[in-house]
Amino acid sequence: MKEYRYVSAAEAVKSIKSGDHIHLSSVASVPHVLINALVQRAKAGEVEDLHFHHFHTEGPAPYSDPEYAGIFFEQGFFIGPNVRSNVNNGWADYLPVHLGESQKLYRSGAIKLGAALVQVSMPDENGMASLGTSVDCSIAAIETAKLKVAVVNPNVPFAYGDLVSLDQFDYLVKDATPLVTKDFAEPTPTEMQIGKNCAELVPDGACIQMGIGALPNALAGQLSDHKDLGVHTEMFADGILRLIKKGVVTGANKKIDRGKIVASFLLGSQDVYSFIDHNPDVLMKDIKYVNDPWVISQNPNMMAINSATEVDLTGQISADSIGTRIFSGTGGQLDFVKGAVRSEGGVSMTAFASRTKRGESKIVPFLRPGAGVVTPRADAHWIITEYGRVDLYGKSMQERAKLLISIAHPDDREMLDRAAFERFGEHWKYIKL
């Protein structure tokens, strides 16, 4: 096997210049050792005006802290809990983009990267390494950045799919910090009912996409008696892993990547990371491929299952924000909505609890001022709460309102009905389901 020269993290980041835009590998696989080295340079007054780009990251995020104002500036494509407060206080920022197009920001030159800082697995005998749990838009970053630095970490699983050659990098750094793991709360009775309402729309042999968290885990639990499911999803966690171990997921009916589990990034327990290590049944691919609506649509019975922060009475779906407050990001929701509805037998679902933890209705007369529309009403199909499910496709504005009110929390329906009457006028009372 070829011998490689390794350097310290401090030496690897020494060539980063003030004003550079920097890509970080994301989620569970953030190269914290390189970030810490940049913090030391910042404290020494050696750099300023560095812009950071990435999907949601786990762990400390000093590049968003007010302490480094004018030195670091966070411009993430998806906002996680570690930077949410700073983004909403203006010390950091959110760059809206569909995740499938995040790689295009780099490849098109819309963002000119000064550096790509990523974590990779130990190389194989040919010097090829895996980006492990975080392929996302890192392939594009490595292709286009002026400076390319890889942290070679034995804890990064070697996942098949899109690999990188260690020869591509200007600097290699050794580190053995474990990847961040995440345990998600067990589903509540409400989440289990929502999962059941979703699962009843999923036929045997379908191909599924869903995110991570208690609600997707609840849905996974309700799919345990299904047969021959496939997986093509931007991310997955322990809920999907349980289905795989039960033999529910076989991918036998997929038309592309048959028998393979396809994803672009992961967050979950160590069991998930160990599962993808040297597993030929898993392909971790460039987000350009995974989130391409045309690719998604090739598999029949594609089930896209996403969530929302609010849905208004006409079917406008907000998912990245709560009013002006950025909560997460556009993500790949619309990528998969578009792909699923073009799939033969495909279904797009938006599932959420009817009320917030504060008891406020998530089905609302109007989205809060400043809220972002992630899925336009023309793309809204099945909307699902614990009180049922309705299909908005082919329905008029007033019909949509009537349907959505029927699955709102019972204590909110009178308020919503009154709001609909005020909006639509006298004819509202003649609308029937």
Side-chain angles (χ1 to χ4, degrees), residues 190-191 194 215 307-313 315-319 321-322 327 350-368 383-387 404-405 407-409 412 415-416:
T190 294
E191 289 163 339
I194 296 168
L215 184 51
S307 193
T309 52
E310 284 184 331
V311 176
D312 78 3
L313 288 178
Q316 294 190 111
I317 299 169
S318 181
S321 55
I322 302 169
F327 184 76
T350 304
F352 53 92
S354 63
R355 279 183 160 182
T356 69
K357 291 178 180 178
R358 295 181 178 180
E360 299 169 327
S361 181
K362 287 190 177 181
I363 296 175
V364 293
F366 305 98
L367 298 180
R368 300 186 196 202
I383 309 294
I384 300 167
T385 72
E386 70 271 31
Y387 292 104
L404 287 166
I405 291 169
I407 59 168
H409 191 284
D412 296 320
M415 173 273 293
L416 292 168

mmCIF file of all heavy atoms in Angstrom, residues 190-191 194 215 307-313 315-319 321-322 327 350-368 383-387 404-405 407-409 412 415-416:
data_model
loop_
_atom_site.group_PDB
_atom_site.id
_atom_site.type_symbol
_atom_site.label_atom_id
_atom_site.label_comp_id
_atom_site.label_asym_id
_atom_site.label_seq_id
_atom_site.Cartn_x
_atom_site.Cartn_y
_atom_site.Cartn_z
ATOM 1 N N THR A 190 -48.903 10.165 19.732
ATOM 2 C CA THR A 190 -49.296 10.999 18.590
ATOM 3 C C THR A 190 -48.448 10.678 17.369
ATOM 4 O O THR A 190 -48.971 10.503 16.257
ATOM 5 C CB THR A 190 -49.159 12.494 18.938
ATOM 6 O OG1 THR A 190 -50.099 12.830 19.961
ATOM 7 C CG2 THR A 190 -49.395 13.375 17.719
ATOM 8 N N GLU A 191 -47.144 10.587 17.563
ATOM 9 C CA GLU A 191 -46.238 10.277 16.453
ATOM 10 C C GLU A 191 -46.493 8.875 15.902
ATOM 11 O O GLU A 191 -46.437 8.654 14.685
ATOM 12 C CB GLU A 191 -44.790 10.421 16.919
ATOM 13 C CG GLU A 191 -44.400 11.879 17.139
ATOM 14 C CD GLU A 191 -43.153 12.062 17.967
ATOM 15 O OE1 GLU A 191 -42.770 11.126 18.715
ATOM 16 O OE2 GLU A 191 -42.550 13.150 17.889
ATOM 17 N N ILE A 194 -49.498 9.133 13.661
ATOM 18 C CA ILE A 194 -49.125 9.756 12.382
ATOM 19 C C ILE A 194 -48.393 8.734 11.509
ATOM 20 O O ILE A 194 -48.654 8.617 10.309
ATOM 21 C CB ILE A 194 -48.245 10.997 12.611
ATOM 22 C CG1 ILE A 194 -49.024 12.070 13.375
ATOM 23 C CG2 ILE A 194 -47.746 11.568 11.279
ATOM 24 C CD1 ILE A 194 -48.151 13.203 13.906
ATOM 25 N N LEU A 215 -40.468 11.075 14.577
ATOM 26 C CA LEU A 215 -41.566 10.781 13.658
ATOM 27 C C LEU A 215 -41.162 9.781 12.575
ATOM 28 O O LEU A 215 -41.874 8.798 12.332
ATOM 29 C CB LEU A 215 -42.100 12.077 13.036
ATOM 30 C CG LEU A 215 -43.312 11.949 12.116
ATOM 31 C CD1 LEU A 215 -44.436 11.165 12.780
ATOM 32 C CD2 LEU A 215 -43.807 13.320 11.689
ATOM 33 N N SER A 307 -41.788 16.637 6.427
ATOM 34 C CA SER A 307 -42.517 17.270 7.521
ATOM 35 C C SER A 307 -42.720 18.752 7.246
ATOM 36 O O SER A 307 -42.358 19.256 6.181
ATOM 37 C CB SER A 307 -41.763 17.056 8.837
ATOM 38 O OG SER A 307 -42.589 17.384 9.937
ATOM 39 N N ALA A 308 -43.287 19.447 8.227
ATOM 40 C CA ALA A 308 -43.588 20.870 8.052
ATOM 41 C C ALA A 308 -43.624 21.551 9.411
ATOM 42 O O ALA A 308 -43.899 20.921 10.437
ATOM 43 C CB ALA A 308 -44.932 21.045 7.352
ATOM 44 N N THR A 309 -43.346 22.850 9.400
ATOM 45 C CA THR A 309 -43.550 23.660 10.599
ATOM 46 C C THR A 309 -44.961 24.269 10.597
ATOM 47 O O THR A 309 -45.568 24.428 11.650
ATOM 48 C CB THR A 309 -42.498 24.785 10.689
ATOM 49 O OG1 THR A 309 -42.483 25.522 9.458
ATOM 50 C CG2 THR A 309 -41.119 24.206 10.935
ATOM 51 N N GLU A 310 -45.475 24.589 9.414
ATOM 52 C CA GLU A 310 -46.841 25.102 9.258
ATOM 53 C C GLU A 310 -47.343 24.770 7.867
ATOM 54 O O GLU A 310 -46.549 24.686 6.921
ATOM 55 C CB GLU A 310 -46.895 26.635 9.406
ATOM 56 C CG GLU A 310 -46.805 27.174 10.792
ATOM 57 C CD GLU A 310 -46.973 28.701 10.804
ATOM 58 O OE1 GLU A 310 -46.631 29.371 9.811
ATOM 59 O OE2 GLU A 310 -47.462 29.209 11.824
ATOM 60 N N VAL A 311 -48.663 24.611 7.749
ATOM 61 C CA VAL A 311 -49.319 24.496 6.442
ATOM 62 C C VAL A 311 -50.520 25.428 6.459
ATOM 63 O O VAL A 311 -51.343 25.368 7.393
ATOM 64 C CB VAL A 311 -49.765 23.053 6.151
ATOM 65 C CG1 VAL A 311 -50.531 22.988 4.829
ATOM 66 C CG2 VAL A 311 -48.573 22.112 6.123
ATOM 67 N N ASP A 312 -50.630 26.309 5.469
ATOM 68 C CA ASP A 312 -51.788 27.199 5.476
ATOM 69 C C ASP A 312 -52.980 26.535 4.784
ATOM 70 O O ASP A 312 -52.868 25.427 4.240
ATOM 71 C CB ASP A 312 -51.438 28.570 4.881
ATOM 72 C CG ASP A 312 -51.377 28.607 3.351
ATOM 73 O OD1 ASP A 312 -51.663 27.593 2.683
ATOM 74 O OD2 ASP A 312 -51.025 29.681 2.809
ATOM 75 N N LEU A 313 -54.109 27.189 4.826
ATOM 76 C CA LEU A 313 -55.360 26.581 4.347
ATOM 77 C C LEU A 313 -55.390 26.338 2.838
ATOM 78 O O LEU A 313 -56.282 25.658 2.349
ATOM 79 C CB LEU A 313 -56.556 27.442 4.763
ATOM 80 C CG LEU A 313 -56.907 27.406 6.256
ATOM 81 C CD1 LEU A 313 -58.075 28.335 6.548
ATOM 82 C CD2 LEU A 313 -57.218 25.995 6.726
ATOM 83 N N GLY A 315 -52.604 25.058 1.326
ATOM 84 C CA GLY A 315 -51.635 23.992 1.081
ATOM 85 C C GLY A 315 -50.206 24.456 0.961
ATOM 86 O O GLY A 315 -49.321 23.654 0.634
ATOM 87 N N GLN A 316 -49.926 25.731 1.224
ATOM 88 C CA GLN A 316 -48.536 26.182 1.228
ATOM 89 C C GLN A 316 -47.821 25.562 2.431
ATOM 90 O O GLN A 316 -48.314 25.655 3.561
ATOM 91 C CB GLN A 316 -48.443 27.704 1.309
ATOM 92 C CG GLN A 316 -48.977 28.407 0.081
ATOM 93 C CD GLN A 316 -48.643 29.884 0.102
ATOM 94 O OE1 GLN A 316 -47.849 30.369 -0.688
ATOM 95 N NE2 GLN A 316 -49.257 30.614 1.011
ATOM 96 N N ILE A 317 -46.658 24.964 2.186
ATOM 97 C CA ILE A 317 -45.953 24.227 3.225
ATOM 98 C C ILE A 317 -44.675 24.955 3.607
ATOM 99 O O ILE A 317 -43.785 25.159 2.780
ATOM 100 C CB ILE A 317 -45.621 22.796 2.749
ATOM 101 C CG1 ILE A 317 -46.919 22.039 2.440
ATOM 102 C CG2 ILE A 317 -44.787 22.049 3.786
ATOM 103 C CD1 ILE A 317 -46.701 20.724 1.716
ATOM 104 N N SER A 318 -44.586 25.363 4.869
ATOM 105 C CA SER A 318 -43.360 25.942 5.397
ATOM 106 C C SER A 318 -42.629 24.863 6.192
ATOM 107 O O SER A 318 -43.243 24.142 6.982
ATOM 108 C CB SER A 318 -43.666 27.135 6.307
ATOM 109 O OG SER A 318 -42.467 27.698 6.798
ATOM 110 N N ALA A 319 -41.330 24.739 5.967
ATOM 111 C CA ALA A 319 -40.564 23.707 6.673
ATOM 112 C C ALA A 319 -39.204 24.200 7.144
ATOM 113 O O ALA A 319 -38.571 23.530 7.961
ATOM 114 C CB ALA A 319 -40.382 22.478 5.771
ATOM 115 N N SER A 321 -38.624 27.378 8.433
ATOM 116 C CA SER A 321 -38.682 28.528 9.330
ATOM 117 C C SER A 321 -39.983 28.554 10.123
ATOM 118 O O SER A 321 -40.963 27.879 9.782
ATOM 119 C CB SER A 321 -38.542 29.822 8.521
ATOM 120 O OG SER A 321 -39.531 29.870 7.496
ATOM 121 N N ILE A 322 -39.960 29.333 11.188
ATOM 122 C CA ILE A 322 -41.168 29.630 11.963
ATOM 123 C C ILE A 322 -41.279 31.142 11.951
ATOM 124 O O ILE A 322 -40.591 31.839 12.706
ATOM 125 C CB ILE A 322 -41.054 29.081 13.399
ATOM 126 C CG1 ILE A 322 -40.813 27.567 13.368
ATOM 127 C CG2 ILE A 322 -42.306 29.418 14.195
ATOM 128 C CD1 ILE A 322 -40.435 26.971 14.702
ATOM 129 N N PHE A 327 -35.328 27.828 11.209
ATOM 130 C CA PHE A 327 -35.298 26.643 12.061
ATOM 131 C C PHE A 327 -34.379 25.560 11.503
ATOM 132 O O PHE A 327 -33.683 24.885 12.234
ATOM 133 C CB PHE A 327 -36.713 26.081 12.223
ATOM 134 C CG PHE A 327 -36.781 24.913 13.160
ATOM 135 C CD1 PHE A 327 -36.722 25.100 14.535
ATOM 136 C CD2 PHE A 327 -36.889 23.619 12.671
ATOM 137 C CE1 PHE A 327 -36.760 24.013 15.402
ATOM 138 C CE2 PHE A 327 -36.941 22.527 13.525
ATOM 139 C CZ PHE A 327 -36.871 22.728 14.900
ATOM 140 N N THR A 350 -46.711 14.885 3.417
ATOM 141 C CA THR A 350 -46.193 15.826 4.406
ATOM 142 C C THR A 350 -46.878 15.505 5.716
ATOM 143 O O THR A 350 -48.106 15.617 5.825
ATOM 144 C CB THR A 350 -46.474 17.282 4.004
ATOM 145 O OG1 THR A 350 -45.914 17.528 2.703
ATOM 146 C CG2 THR A 350 -45.865 18.248 5.004
ATOM 147 N N ALA A 351 -46.091 15.055 6.699
ATOM 148 C CA ALA A 351 -46.661 14.538 7.946
ATOM 149 C C ALA A 351 -46.157 15.348 9.133
ATOM 150 O O ALA A 351 -44.961 15.646 9.227
ATOM 151 C CB ALA A 351 -46.290 13.072 8.106
ATOM 152 N N PHE A 352 -47.054 15.650 10.066
ATOM 153 C CA PHE A 352 -46.677 16.444 11.239
ATOM 154 C C PHE A 352 -47.793 16.359 12.275
ATOM 155 O O PHE A 352 -48.945 16.037 11.948
ATOM 156 C CB PHE A 352 -46.427 17.906 10.859
ATOM 157 C CG PHE A 352 -47.573 18.540 10.097
ATOM 158 C CD1 PHE A 352 -48.583 19.219 10.756
ATOM 159 C CD2 PHE A 352 -47.642 18.434 8.711
ATOM 160 C CE1 PHE A 352 -49.644 19.787 10.050
ATOM 161 C CE2 PHE A 352 -48.699 18.995 7.998
ATOM 162 C CZ PHE A 352 -49.702 19.671 8.674
ATOM 163 N N ALA A 353 -47.464 16.651 13.526
ATOM 164 C CA ALA A 353 -48.480 16.724 14.582
ATOM 165 C C ALA A 353 -49.350 17.949 14.351
ATOM 166 O O ALA A 353 -48.868 18.994 13.904
ATOM 167 C CB ALA A 353 -47.813 16.794 15.940
ATOM 168 N N SER A 354 -50.614 17.830 14.672
ATOM 169 C CA SER A 354 -51.547 18.929 14.396
ATOM 170 C C SER A 354 -51.231 20.186 15.189
ATOM 171 O O SER A 354 -51.602 21.288 14.784
ATOM 172 C CB SER A 354 -52.979 18.482 14.691
ATOM 173 O OG SER A 354 -53.131 18.176 16.070
ATOM 174 N N ARG A 355 -50.547 20.017 16.319
ATOM 175 C CA ARG A 355 -50.217 21.163 17.166
ATOM 176 C C ARG A 355 -48.739 21.149 17.554
ATOM 177 O O ARG A 355 -48.107 20.097 17.612
ATOM 178 C CB ARG A 355 -51.061 21.153 18.444
ATOM 179 C CG ARG A 355 -52.464 21.710 18.269
ATOM 180 C CD ARG A 355 -53.198 21.714 19.600
ATOM 181 N NE ARG A 355 -54.334 22.636 19.582
ATOM 182 C CZ ARG A 355 -55.130 22.861 20.634
ATOM 183 N NH1 ARG A 355 -54.906 22.214 21.776
ATOM 184 N NH2 ARG A 355 -56.125 23.721 20.545
ATOM 185 N N THR A 356 -48.212 22.332 17.833
ATOM 186 C CA THR A 356 -46.863 22.444 18.367
ATOM 187 C C THR A 356 -46.859 22.016 19.831
ATOM 188 O O THR A 356 -47.910 21.792 20.441
ATOM 189 C CB THR A 356 -46.359 23.895 18.279
ATOM 190 O OG1 THR A 356 -47.116 24.705 19.208
ATOM 191 C CG2 THR A 356 -46.523 24.454 16.881
ATOM 192 N N LYS A 357 -45.669 21.941 20.413
ATOM 193 C CA LYS A 357 -45.559 21.599 21.839
ATOM 194 C C LYS A 357 -46.194 22.664 22.719
ATOM 195 O O LYS A 357 -46.551 22.397 23.869
ATOM 196 C CB LYS A 357 -44.088 21.412 22.217
ATOM 197 C CG LYS A 357 -43.462 20.171 21.579
ATOM 198 C CD LYS A 357 -41.996 20.039 21.936
ATOM 199 C CE LYS A 357 -41.406 18.793 21.268
ATOM 200 N NZ LYS A 357 -39.946 18.660 21.553
ATOM 201 N N ARG A 358 -46.352 23.872 22.167
ATOM 202 C CA ARG A 358 -47.004 24.952 22.916
ATOM 203 C C ARG A 358 -48.525 24.961 22.734
ATOM 204 O O ARG A 358 -49.211 25.839 23.250
ATOM 205 C CB ARG A 358 -46.446 26.301 22.469
ATOM 206 C CG ARG A 358 -44.970 26.498 22.799
ATOM 207 C CD ARG A 358 -44.509 27.868 22.354
ATOM 208 N NE ARG A 358 -43.119 28.109 22.694
ATOM 209 C CZ ARG A 358 -42.457 29.226 22.423
ATOM 210 N NH1 ARG A 358 -43.090 30.216 21.781
ATOM 211 N NH2 ARG A 358 -41.196 29.372 22.766
ATOM 212 N N GLY A 359 -49.019 24.013 21.964
ATOM 213 C CA GLY A 359 -50.460 23.932 21.766
ATOM 214 C C GLY A 359 -50.996 24.812 20.662
ATOM 215 O O GLY A 359 -52.204 25.050 20.582
ATOM 216 N N GLU A 360 -50.128 25.283 19.764
ATOM 217 C CA GLU A 360 -50.562 26.124 18.651
ATOM 218 C C GLU A 360 -50.806 25.257 17.424
ATOM 219 O O GLU A 360 -50.046 24.321 17.151
ATOM 220 C CB GLU A 360 -49.497 27.179 18.336
ATOM 221 C CG GLU A 360 -49.212 28.114 19.497
ATOM 222 C CD GLU A 360 -47.985 28.974 19.254
ATOM 223 O OE1 GLU A 360 -47.044 28.479 18.590
ATOM 224 O OE2 GLU A 360 -47.963 30.119 19.723
ATOM 225 N N SER A 361 -51.834 25.583 16.651
ATOM 226 C CA SER A 361 -52.162 24.803 15.466
ATOM 227 C C SER A 361 -51.077 24.958 14.404
ATOM 228 O O SER A 361 -50.601 26.065 14.135
ATOM 229 C CB SER A 361 -53.497 25.255 14.883
ATOM 230 O OG SER A 361 -53.820 24.475 13.740
ATOM 231 N N LYS A 362 -50.689 23.831 13.798
ATOM 232 C CA LYS A 362 -49.741 23.883 12.681
ATOM 233 C C LYS A 362 -50.469 24.047 11.350
ATOM 234 O O LYS A 362 -49.836 24.359 10.340
ATOM 235 C CB LYS A 362 -48.884 22.620 12.656
ATOM 236 C CG LYS A 362 -47.835 22.570 13.752
ATOM 237 C CD LYS A 362 -46.875 21.425 13.510
ATOM 238 C CE LYS A 362 -45.776 21.388 14.526
ATOM 239 N NZ LYS A 362 -44.813 20.288 14.273
ATOM 240 N N ILE A 363 -51.765 23.805 11.337
ATOM 241 C CA ILE A 363 -52.591 24.161 10.186
ATOM 242 C C ILE A 363 -53.153 25.534 10.489
ATOM 243 O O ILE A 363 -53.834 25.734 11.501
ATOM 244 C CB ILE A 363 -53.705 23.129 9.949
ATOM 245 C CG1 ILE A 363 -53.078 21.772 9.600
ATOM 246 C CG2 ILE A 363 -54.652 23.587 8.838
ATOM 247 C CD1 ILE A 363 -54.074 20.638 9.467
ATOM 248 N N VAL A 364 -52.824 26.505 9.644
ATOM 249 C CA VAL A 364 -53.075 27.906 9.980
ATOM 250 C C VAL A 364 -53.800 28.621 8.836
ATOM 251 O O VAL A 364 -53.677 28.225 7.670
ATOM 252 C CB VAL A 364 -51.748 28.632 10.286
ATOM 253 C CG1 VAL A 364 -51.116 28.085 11.562
ATOM 254 C CG2 VAL A 364 -50.756 28.513 9.118
ATOM 255 N N PRO A 365 -54.544 29.681 9.155
ATOM 256 C CA PRO A 365 -55.191 30.455 8.085
ATOM 257 C C PRO A 365 -54.176 31.037 7.109
ATOM 258 O O PRO A 365 -54.371 31.007 5.896
ATOM 259 C CB PRO A 365 -55.920 31.561 8.849
ATOM 260 C CG PRO A 365 -56.131 31.006 10.223
ATOM 261 C CD PRO A 365 -54.937 30.158 10.497
ATOM 262 N N PHE A 366 -53.090 31.594 7.668
ATOM 263 C CA PHE A 366 -52.006 32.174 6.863
ATOM 264 C C PHE A 366 -50.692 31.795 7.520
ATOM 265 O O PHE A 366 -50.609 31.713 8.747
ATOM 266 C CB PHE A 366 -52.105 33.704 6.801
ATOM 267 C CG PHE A 366 -53.427 34.210 6.309
ATOM 268 C CD1 PHE A 366 -54.398 34.631 7.199
ATOM 269 C CD2 PHE A 366 -53.687 34.268 4.949
ATOM 270 C CE1 PHE A 366 -55.621 35.091 6.745
ATOM 271 C CE2 PHE A 366 -54.909 34.731 4.482
ATOM 272 C CZ PHE A 366 -55.885 35.135 5.378
ATOM 273 N N LEU A 367 -49.656 31.568 6.705
ATOM 274 C CA LEU A 367 -48.334 31.367 7.279
ATOM 275 C C LEU A 367 -47.911 32.629 8.029
ATOM 276 O O LEU A 367 -48.306 33.738 7.681
ATOM 277 C CB LEU A 367 -47.312 31.064 6.179
ATOM 278 C CG LEU A 367 -47.544 29.804 5.346
ATOM 279 C CD1 LEU A 367 -46.431 29.655 4.308
ATOM 280 C CD2 LEU A 367 -47.636 28.551 6.208
ATOM 281 N N ARG A 368 -47.123 32.443 9.053
ATOM 282 C CA ARG A 368 -46.650 33.596 9.809
ATOM 283 C C ARG A 368 -45.839 34.524 8.901
ATOM 284 O O ARG A 368 -45.139 34.060 7.993
ATOM 285 C CB ARG A 368 -45.767 33.144 10.972
ATOM 286 C CG ARG A 368 -46.464 32.232 11.944
ATOM 287 C CD ARG A 368 -45.578 31.943 13.136
ATOM 288 N NE ARG A 368 -46.079 30.784 13.865
ATOM 289 C CZ ARG A 368 -45.815 30.528 15.137
ATOM 290 N NH1 ARG A 368 -45.021 31.352 15.809
ATOM 291 N NH2 ARG A 368 -46.303 29.464 15.729
ATOM 292 N N ILE A 383 -51.432 15.413 2.928
ATOM 293 C CA ILE A 383 -51.112 16.073 4.193
ATOM 294 C C ILE A 383 -51.652 15.172 5.306
ATOM 295 O O ILE A 383 -52.816 14.759 5.278
ATOM 296 C CB ILE A 383 -51.738 17.470 4.297
ATOM 297 C CG1 ILE A 383 -51.409 18.309 3.045
ATOM 298 C CG2 ILE A 383 -51.278 18.162 5.570
ATOM 299 C CD1 ILE A 383 -49.960 18.660 2.875
ATOM 300 N N ILE A 384 -50.792 14.885 6.303
ATOM 301 C CA ILE A 384 -51.124 13.853 7.287
ATOM 302 C C ILE A 384 -50.853 14.351 8.702
ATOM 303 O O ILE A 384 -49.772 14.891 8.985
ATOM 304 C CB ILE A 384 -50.300 12.575 7.006
ATOM 305 C CG1 ILE A 384 -50.606 12.049 5.602
ATOM 306 C CG2 ILE A 384 -50.582 11.492 8.054
ATOM 307 C CD1 ILE A 384 -49.655 10.995 5.096
ATOM 308 N N THR A 385 -51.829 14.206 9.578
ATOM 309 C CA THR A 385 -51.654 14.454 11.014
ATOM 310 C C THR A 385 -52.161 13.225 11.762
ATOM 311 O O THR A 385 -52.584 12.238 11.145
ATOM 312 C CB THR A 385 -52.449 15.691 11.493
ATOM 313 O OG1 THR A 385 -53.855 15.371 11.511
ATOM 314 C CG2 THR A 385 -52.210 16.899 10.602
ATOM 315 N N GLU A 386 -52.177 13.325 13.082
ATOM 316 C CA GLU A 386 -52.711 12.206 13.876
ATOM 317 C C GLU A 386 -54.213 12.050 13.700
ATOM 318 O O GLU A 386 -54.785 11.009 14.068
ATOM 319 C CB GLU A 386 -52.347 12.384 15.355
ATOM 320 C CG GLU A 386 -53.067 13.507 16.081
ATOM 321 C CD GLU A 386 -52.341 14.854 15.983
ATOM 322 O OE1 GLU A 386 -51.669 15.099 14.957
ATOM 323 O OE2 GLU A 386 -52.467 15.659 16.926
ATOM 324 N N TYR A 387 -54.874 13.063 13.104
ATOM 325 C CA TYR A 387 -56.326 13.012 12.928
ATOM 326 C C TYR A 387 -56.752 12.529 11.539
ATOM 327 O O TYR A 387 -57.944 12.518 11.228
ATOM 328 C CB TYR A 387 -56.939 14.382 13.229
ATOM 329 C CG TYR A 387 -56.810 14.722 14.695
ATOM 330 C CD1 TYR A 387 -55.852 15.630 15.133
ATOM 331 C CD2 TYR A 387 -57.600 14.085 15.650
ATOM 332 C CE1 TYR A 387 -55.692 15.916 16.472
ATOM 333 C CE2 TYR A 387 -57.453 14.367 16.999
ATOM 334 C CZ TYR A 387 -56.491 15.271 17.408
ATOM 335 O OH TYR A 387 -56.343 15.536 18.749
ATOM 336 N N LEU A 404 -58.197 20.329 4.941
ATOM 337 C CA LEU A 404 -57.179 20.544 5.970
ATOM 338 C C LEU A 404 -57.797 20.767 7.342
ATOM 339 O O LEU A 404 -57.273 20.284 8.357
ATOM 340 C CB LEU A 404 -56.286 21.729 5.583
ATOM 341 C CG LEU A 404 -55.309 21.434 4.442
ATOM 342 C CD1 LEU A 404 -54.721 22.721 3.885
ATOM 343 C CD2 LEU A 404 -54.189 20.512 4.920
ATOM 344 N N ILE A 405 -58.915 21.470 7.381
ATOM 345 C CA ILE A 405 -59.604 21.675 8.660
ATOM 346 C C ILE A 405 -60.027 20.334 9.253
ATOM 347 O O ILE A 405 -59.983 20.130 10.470
ATOM 348 C CB ILE A 405 -60.805 22.616 8.482
ATOM 349 C CG1 ILE A 405 -60.310 24.034 8.167
ATOM 350 C CG2 ILE A 405 -61.691 22.631 9.730
ATOM 351 C CD1 ILE A 405 -61.401 24.994 7.713
ATOM 352 N N ILE A 407 -58.474 17.589 9.380
ATOM 353 C CA ILE A 407 -57.398 16.850 10.063
ATOM 354 C C ILE A 407 -56.645 17.733 11.055
ATOM 355 O O ILE A 407 -55.609 17.331 11.592
ATOM 356 C CB ILE A 407 -56.413 16.210 9.062
ATOM 357 C CG1 ILE A 407 -55.751 17.261 8.167
ATOM 358 C CG2 ILE A 407 -57.107 15.142 8.228
ATOM 359 C CD1 ILE A 407 -54.566 16.720 7.368
ATOM 360 N N ALA A 408 -57.154 18.949 11.296
ATOM 361 C CA ALA A 408 -56.584 19.811 12.332
ATOM 362 C C ALA A 408 -57.021 19.296 13.704
ATOM 363 O O ALA A 408 -57.922 18.448 13.826
ATOM 364 C CB ALA A 408 -57.043 21.247 12.124
ATOM 365 N N HIS A 409 -56.386 19.795 14.738
ATOM 366 C CA HIS A 409 -56.816 19.438 16.090
ATOM 367 C C HIS A 409 -58.276 19.869 16.263
ATOM 368 O O HIS A 409 -58.652 20.970 15.843
ATOM 369 C CB HIS A 409 -55.926 20.146 17.120
ATOM 370 C CG HIS A 409 -56.125 19.652 18.515
ATOM 371 N ND1 HIS A 409 -57.222 20.004 19.283
ATOM 372 C CD2 HIS A 409 -55.373 18.814 19.282
ATOM 373 C CE1 HIS A 409 -57.131 19.423 20.466
ATOM 374 N NE2 HIS A 409 -56.012 18.684 20.492
ATOM 375 N N ASP A 412 -59.140 23.358 17.245
ATOM 376 C CA ASP A 412 -58.745 24.452 16.355
ATOM 377 C C ASP A 412 -59.656 24.574 15.137
ATOM 378 O O ASP A 412 -59.527 25.521 14.364
ATOM 379 C CB ASP A 412 -57.301 24.254 15.877
ATOM 380 C CG ASP A 412 -56.308 24.315 17.019
ATOM 381 O OD1 ASP A 412 -56.482 25.159 17.911
ATOM 382 O OD2 ASP A 412 -55.351 23.499 17.026
ATOM 383 N N MET A 415 -61.958 27.804 14.822
ATOM 384 C CA MET A 415 -61.162 28.996 14.465
ATOM 385 C C MET A 415 -60.790 28.968 12.990
ATOM 386 O O MET A 415 -60.902 29.989 12.289
ATOM 387 C CB MET A 415 -59.900 29.022 15.335
ATOM 388 C CG MET A 415 -58.889 30.104 14.987
ATOM 389 S SD MET A 415 -57.671 29.614 13.684
ATOM 390 C CE MET A 415 -56.728 28.340 14.514
ATOM 391 N N LEU A 416 -60.387 27.813 12.503
ATOM 392 C CA LEU A 416 -59.992 27.692 11.102
ATOM 393 C C LEU A 416 -61.188 27.849 10.171
ATOM 394 O O LEU A 416 -61.088 28.466 9.099
ATOM 395 C CB LEU A 416 -59.306 26.345 10.864
ATOM 396 C CG LEU A 416 -57.940 26.176 11.549
ATOM 397 C CD1 LEU A 416 -57.497 24.724 11.487
ATOM 398 C CD2 LEU A 416 -56.900 27.080 10.903
#
